[in-house]
Amino acid sequence: MNREAIDLEERFSHFDEVWSPKVIARLNDYEIKLARLDGEFVWHSHQETDELFLVLSGSLTIQLRDGNVSLGPGQLFVVPRGVEHCPITDGGQVRVMLIEPAGVINTGEAGGELTASHDDSLA
Amino acid sequence: MNREAIDLEERFSHFDEVWSPKVIARLNDYEIKLARLDGEFVWHSHQETDELFLVLSGSLTIQLRDGNVSLGPGQLFVVPRGVEHCPITDGGQVRVMLIEPAGVINTGEAGGELTASHDDSLA
């Protein structure tokens, strides 16, 4: 068992890629991930699970088909399962903590070039 | 569906009690809670689940039977299921975000006067 605190700032220092979530911890069968976001993602949904976004820095809009949710540092939003969404950053890079069950694909059912491989090298 | 971001700072403004976690959001069958901690809690464990602590402000030590984990703002630790632990604050009040499955009792198997009722009034 690892007896060390996990420092979010320190974990971010290990990667620069955007739209490429890194697993930093596990909670039962869930994964805690960090990601850098920049620009617009793709519209997608996750049929099997909710997804939590907690913004750590920057300004993020989660576009939904029937409205937008704006998030700044210290604000979170849970996208319900099955709900189409498309994150887009407002200005510079955004850093987020994501929480979802292990095995969730970042682009959901949409697929495409932004689909990230599962990366738990920081866990 | 609620289309509003959940602002952690704003949610804290709704309560002052310590050792009394408040549910602010749900993620599948998990609950996202905020809590104010001050002083020493009780030794306890959760046989059925891991428990995530993310410190938002202040300085927290999670005492374990074989060592301590020190946490400051922006640092998290997942206490594995079945592992006895006892949080204690280092100095002033500590504010944390907790994530665990719905229905977990804060004092685990220990019970006692610090056992909090389930409070989802901020969700």
Side-chain angles (χ1 to χ4, degrees):
Chain A
M1 174 183 164
N2 191 337
R3 296 273 181 255
E4 295 288 313
I6 295 167
D7 187 290
L8 303 185
E9 200 65 42
E10 189 276 333
R11 295 284 92 179
F12 272 113
S13 72
H14 292 273
F15 69 102
D16 292 320
E17 313 97 283
V18 297
W19 305 115
S20 187
K22 311 295 183 195
V23 180
I24 60 161
R26 297 186 179 84
L27 174 73
N28 300 321
D29 54 346
Y30 280 63
E31 291 176 334
I32 318 300
K33 303 173 182 176
L34 297 182
R36 297 176 182 274
L37 313 182
D38 200 355
E40 185 169 20
F41 199 55
V42 292
W43 282 95
H44 68 286
S45 62
H46 306 284
Q47 293 305 316
E48 302 306 321
T49 181
D50 300 342
E51 180 177 19
L52 182 146
F53 290 77
L54 170 63
V55 171
L56 300 171
S57 68
S59 214
L60 180 69
T61 295
I62 299 180
Q63 302 173 91
L64 305 166
R65 291 300 186 190
D66 62 353
N68 292 340
V69 179
S70 298
L71 297 168
Q75 298 187 324
L76 67 81
F77 185 70
V78 177
V79 179
R81 70 180 67 198
V83 170
E84 278 191 293
H85 58 286
C86 179
I88 182 170
T89 60
D90 307 327
Q93 190 176 103
V94 173
R95 301 190 308 168
V96 295
M97 187 170 86
L98 305 171
I99 306 178
E100 56 197 357
V104 170
I105 304 296
N106 65 330
T107 51
E109 88 304 337
E113 62 181 15
L114 287 171
T115 302
S117 59
H118 182 261
D119 186 339
D120 61 358
S121 60
L122 300 184
Chain B
M1 173 182 165
N2 190 338
R3 296 272 182 256
E4 295 288 314
I6 295 167
D7 187 290
L8 304 185
E9 199 65 42
E10 189 276 333
R11 296 283 91 179
F12 272 113
S13 72
H14 292 273
F15 69 101
D16 292 320
E17 314 95 284
V18 297
W19 304 117
S20 186
K22 310 296 183 195
V23 180
I24 60 161
R26 296 186 179 84
L27 174 74
N28 299 323
D29 54 345
Y30 280 63
E31 290 176 335
I32 317 301
K33 302 173 183 177
L34 297 182
R36 297 176 181 273
L37 314 182
D38 200 355
E40 185 168 20
F41 199 55
V42 292
W43 282 95
H44 68 286
S45 61
H46 307 284
Q47 293 305 316
E48 302 306 322
T49 181
D50 301 342
E51 180 176 19
L52 182 146
F53 290 78
L54 170 63
V55 171
L56 300 170
S57 68
S59 213
L60 179 69
T61 295
I62 299 180
Q63 303 173 90
L64 305 167
R65 290 301 187 190
D66 61 354
N68 291 340
V69 178
S70 298
L71 297 168
Q75 299 187 323
L76 67 81
F77 185 70
V78 178
V79 179
R81 69 180 67 198
V83 170
E84 278 192 293
H85 58 285
C86 180
I88 182 171
T89 59
D90 308 327
Q93 190 175 105
V94 174
R95 301 190 308 167
V96 295
M97 187 169 87
L98 305 171
I99 306 179
E100 57 196 358
V104 170
I105 304 297
N106 65 329
T107 51
E109 88 303 337
E113 62 182 15
L114 287 171
T115 302
S117 60
H118 182 260
D119 187 340
D120 61 359
S121 59
L122 299 184

